[in-house]
Amino acid sequence: MTLPRSPVGCPMDSLLRLLMGPWTTYILWVLSSDGPTRFGALKRRVPGVSAKVLTERLRMLEEAGVIYREYEPTIPPKVTYGLAPRGEELREILAQLNAIALRWQEADGAASGTYVCVPGRPEPDGTEPEGAEPEEAENPTVARRRTGAAK
């Protein structure tokens, strides 16, 4: 578990180099919001990211000890990613960033509060977004974990 090296030797610089890579913070936000997630589901939850870049970001975060990778040798292989203890330390910070983003969006009058950063998540007032399906329908893995149902 290592952070990227900082040319100036500053721990904050190392942490920011890790978190500010393309898609990195959004990937962490999705894992923080959804819990352990399989690769395909994660790719769908981060619209616009290529499989190559997602793989690179996940490997980098795993190497830094921020996320874990769980591999099950099934057919097809089942690979699940989730927040490791270092990643859990970021959960509150990510929630605070989300609160700031929502405030700024409201202040800017953007999309009149109808945009939801993570599809299927409740609106700031606690209501479900228009056209959203329940989380279980969107992420069957989460539903199986909650109910204990087999695949």
Side-chain angles (χ1 to χ4, degrees):
M1 294 192 297
T2 58
L3 287 173
R5 290 192 184 254
S6 167
V8 294
C10 174
M12 183 63 163
D13 181 55
S14 293
L15 180 61
L16 290 175
R17 284 175 186 275
L18 174 73
L19 297 178
M20 297 306 141
W23 301 105
T24 305
T25 307
Y26 194 69
I27 292 166
L28 290 171
W29 168 244
V30 171
L31 290 174
S32 175
S33 299
D34 292 358
T37 307
R38 290 182 65 178
F39 182 88
L42 189 55
K43 185 170 181 327
R44 287 188 297 275
R45 303 288 278 173
V46 183
V49 69
S50 69
K52 177 185 175 193
V53 170
L54 180 58
T55 300
E56 289 171 358
R57 298 287 105 192
L58 291 169
R59 285 181 183 159
M60 180 195 65
L61 289 167
E62 183 184 12
E63 184 178 304
V66 177
I67 65 169
Y68 66 85
R69 178 181 186 268
E70 189 175 281
Y71 173 81
E72 291 183 37
T74 59
I75 298 176
K78 182 179 176 183
V79 180
T80 304
Y81 295 91
L83 295 180
R86 281 185 171 185
E88 291 290 343
E89 289 186 64
L90 297 170
R91 189 180 293 272
E92 185 177 332
I93 294 163
L94 292 167
Q96 290 173 353
L97 285 172
N98 183 55
I100 291 168
L102 291 171
R103 275 197 310 273
W104 288 9
Q105 180 184 43
E106 187 177 319
D108 292 346
S112 67
T114 58
Y115 180 77
V116 179
C117 294
V118 179
R121 293 284 158 222
E123 297 287 346
D125 64 2
T127 61
E128 288 294 322
E130 281 188 30
E133 296 179 3
E135 183 176 337
E136 286 79 9
E138 182 178 327
N139 188 342
T141 304
V142 171
R144 283 193 302 275
R145 270 194 211 102
R146 286 192 189 133
T147 62
K151 186 172 180 178

